[in-house]
Amino acid sequence: MSTLLPIAQTSAGVVLGLQSNLINRHGLITGATGTGKTVTLRTITEQLSDAGVPVFLADVKGDLSGLIEPGTLTPKLQEILTGRGLTTPAFHSIPTTFWDVAGEGGHPIRTTISEFGPLLFSRLLSLNDVQAGVLQIAFKVADDQGMLLLDLDDLRAMLTFIAEQASVLQTQYGTISGASIGAIQRGLLALEQQGGAAFFGEPNLQLNDLIRTTPDGKGMVNILKADALIQQPALYATVLLWLLSEVYEELPEVGDLPFPKFVIFLDEAHLLFDDAPDALVQTIERVIRLVRSKGVGIYFVTQNPLDVPESVLGQLGNRVQHALRAFTPRDQQAVKAAATTFRQNPTLDTQTVIQELAVGEALVSFLAPDGTPTMVERAWVLPPASLVGPAQPMNLHAVINDSSLFGKYEQAVDRISAQEQLAEKAQSMIATSTEEVPQESRTPEAMAAGMTVVSGLFGAFAKSAARSIGT
């Protein structure tokens, strides 16, 4: 069984919508700045929430908070509705939970270093292959030694440890370059200065807190406050990639459902692929291909369809194309590419129409009930039922403070992990060496001389650990 979720309407009054059981075939919303992508995003989000489907989206412009307030029929909106032949929506608010990496405009969103993994960290820090290999060694040594990597301090401590013990560890793990360690440490320092340290730690986000419904059956909309985060594009993109990987790894296979379990919108999608290594692009492609069987739909939102690699673009079945402007050769290439990806309609010159679309107008092709793409149609996107624009600050704060999750993530937890474990080992070795020194040798001169071998004691511990690993 499938339900049609209305999204747009043609000038002839034909309603175009998403088939509920095919929403997990993913989608694409594209168009130049100011052509109506955000309104389309809101309309689809509202339809999903009303149908009981939880949603995650990033608010890069700071104006999606209006979902928590019902819209109003202003004279301008009435004029638009009349001119386009659209009916007035039933205005209402949408249940929403706000998240913020910095923890200022919503519940803090965190993950641990170990869960984040070396691949995403390499992407975040823009490491080359050699540096990425050293980072993988740090993760592997921590795992073998049973040391938790929870926050940036843990990772720094582990990098320092493997640098000091490089000659001992390289026989087991490979060459550890001091220059690479330095480059990674500098990257971590820059990340911390950009506010990225707040993203790593505990309590880490529980995926079930994103996939929730209200008591009356509405899907919870999760908004990541990203107007400041987007100023650090690498961090923004990596947070979204981490979410994709968590969804893929944690959710069970469910097959085809009447409605998806969860839908994720990836705004400014080009940032996910800019300078991304081939291994990461292949990982994204695999996740997009396989995550639909877990009942999850992924929708990319970007200006240019060329921002998305062909290997990913080919898997996006539901498409809304707003206007593109062909001012440059690349723009002209984008218009041509967008036109050719649709199932052609003999009554439309798609390539020409793309450049003529008005604000709020789009070329639409959704999957038909049998799973095939419908012929592209020119249509007006239906108006949202919630407030278009940001919510009143007072209402926004009330929603955050009244959330059932308030207090669960607000206070960071710092339990014993790699940094403390390594420090404890070093202190234990120093204390042991001091106890073994005869009383008559504990003169200031003798103690000063003894301090020259303290670092060697830490090395002895590393050698012992390496031998135990080898066995």
Side-chain angles (χ1 to χ4, degrees):
M1 295 293 293
S2 179
T3 301
L4 186 72
L5 305 186
I7 305 299
Q9 181 177 305
T10 68
S11 58
V14 178
V15 174
L16 309 176
L18 292 164
Q19 297 291 334
S20 63
N21 63 330
L22 298 175
I23 293 173
N24 64 335
R25 265 50 170 190
H26 313 311
L28 179 69
I29 303 172
T30 53
T33 299
T35 56
K37 296 191 302 298
T38 302
V39 170
T40 300
L41 170 63
R42 296 175 68 104
T43 297
I44 297 177
T45 296
E46 291 179 359
Q47 289 289 343
L48 290 169
S49 177
D50 288 346
V53 179
V55 175
F56 179 93
L57 47 85
D59 187 3
V60 300
K61 293 186 291 186
D63 60 354
L64 292 179
S65 59
L67 286 167
I68 66 173
E69 298 181 13
T72 56
L73 184 61
T74 63
K76 180 179 180 180
L77 178 57
Q78 182 63 70
E79 181 182 352
I80 291 174
L81 295 176
T82 302
R84 299 176 182 178
L86 304 176
T87 59
T88 303
F91 296 115
H92 63 280
S93 61
I94 305 297
T96 306
T97 300
F98 292 91
W99 302 88
D100 185 2
V101 168
E104 298 174 355
H107 306 301
I109 185 169
R110 302 185 191 90
T111 187
T112 64
I113 298 290
S114 295
E115 288 182 342
F116 198 68
L119 178 61
L120 287 181
F121 238 113
S122 298
R123 165 74 168 85
L124 178 59
L125 301 180
S126 301
L127 303 182
N128 59 35
D129 290 342
V130 174
Q131 295 162 353
V134 172
L135 184 63
Q136 288 179 331
I137 291 174
F139 275 78
K140 177 61 174 172
V141 172
D143 185 55
D144 289 345
Q145 293 296 315
M147 295 185 181
L148 299 174
L149 297 178
L150 302 181
D151 53 28
L152 291 187
D153 288 338
D154 291 326
L155 184 54
R156 286 196 191 94
M158 183 55 62
L159 289 168
T160 300
F161 171 69
I162 67 171
E164 291 175 347
Q165 309 307 321
S167 60
V168 176
L169 297 174
Q170 66 180 2
T171 56
Q172 177 73 21
Y173 298 97
T175 302
I176 299 172
S177 164
S180 294
I181 293 288
I184 298 170
Q185 294 281 31
R186 289 192 296 273
L188 295 178
L189 178 60
L191 176 63
E192 186 173 35
Q193 292 175 337
Q194 294 169 3
F199 181 57
F200 299 102
E202 291 185 316
N204 51 316
L205 177 68
Q206 302 300 304
L207 194 59
N208 286 339
D209 287 335
L210 296 180
I211 308 177
R212 298 184 298 143
T213 56
T214 63
D216 60 351
K218 303 294 185 181
M220 182 64 68
V221 175
N222 299 274
I223 294 181
L224 174 64
K225 185 177 183 294
D227 50 342
L229 185 63
I230 196 68
Q231 302 305 315
Q232 287 82 45
L235 179 58
Y236 169 78
T238 312
V239 169
L240 297 184
L241 291 173
W242 161 78
L243 177 63
L244 281 182
S245 66
E246 286 294 294
V247 168
Y248 174 70
E249 292 172 4
E250 290 194 22
L251 292 184
E253 298 280 340
V254 294
D256 291 326
L257 300 172
F259 287 87
K261 290 184 61 178
F262 192 37
V263 174
I264 301 173
F265 290 91
L266 302 174
D267 204 355
E268 299 294 340
H270 65 281
L271 296 175
L272 276 65
F273 304 102
D274 287 350
D275 301 321
D278 291 342
L280 183 57
V281 174
Q282 292 171 5
T283 299
I284 298 173
E285 178 188 355
R286 183 174 66 254
V287 169
I288 297 300
R289 184 175 65 252
L290 300 177
V291 78
R292 73 172 183 84
S293 64
K294 298 172 181 283
V296 177
I298 309 295
Y299 285 68
F300 294 87
V301 184
T302 189
Q303 294 188 22
N304 192 325
L306 295 179
D307 294 336
V308 181
E310 283 190 21
S311 59
V312 175
L313 196 63
Q315 301 181 56
L316 311 180
N318 299 295
R319 302 192 179 189
V320 178
Q321 175 67 63
H322 289 277
L324 290 174
R325 312 305 181 199
F327 297 126
T328 68
R330 175 173 167 79
D331 292 339
Q332 295 168 4
Q333 183 183 7
V335 169
K336 183 177 180 179
T340 56
T341 57
F342 286 108
R343 179 183 173 187
Q344 296 302 304
N345 186 334
T347 66
L348 286 178
D349 181 350
T350 308
Q351 188 168 338
T352 300
V353 170
I354 287 178
Q355 303 174 67
E356 300 175 345
L357 295 170
V359 176
E361 193 177 19
L363 289 173
V364 178
S365 176
F366 295 135
L367 294 177
D370 63 358
T372 60
T374 58
M375 286 193 299
V376 62
E377 296 282 358
R378 185 173 184 171
W380 296 104
V381 175
L382 300 178
S386 61
L387 176 67
V388 176
Q392 293 293 324
M394 181 183 303
N395 295 337
L396 177 58
H397 294 153
V399 168
I400 295 173
N401 293 333
D402 293 341
S403 168
S404 61
L405 297 178
F406 188 80
K408 182 174 181 178
Y409 296 103
E410 273 61 31
Q411 185 62 46
V413 176
D414 185 15
R415 61 185 173 123
I416 295 176
S417 50
Q419 182 189 27
E420 292 81 7
Q421 289 172 301
L422 289 171
E424 183 181 353
K425 291 288 187 182
Q427 289 294 329
S428 176
M429 297 297 290
I430 294 172
T432 301
S433 67
T434 302
E435 291 174 359
E436 293 174 352
V437 176
Q439 182 68 36
E440 60 273 13
S441 301
R442 298 186 185 180
T443 63
E445 294 78 8
M447 293 299 291
M451 289 303 294
T452 61
V453 298
V454 166
S455 60
L457 296 172
F458 201 61
F461 159 70
K463 292 179 182 178
S464 175
R467 284 195 297 271
S468 67
I469 292 171
T471 58

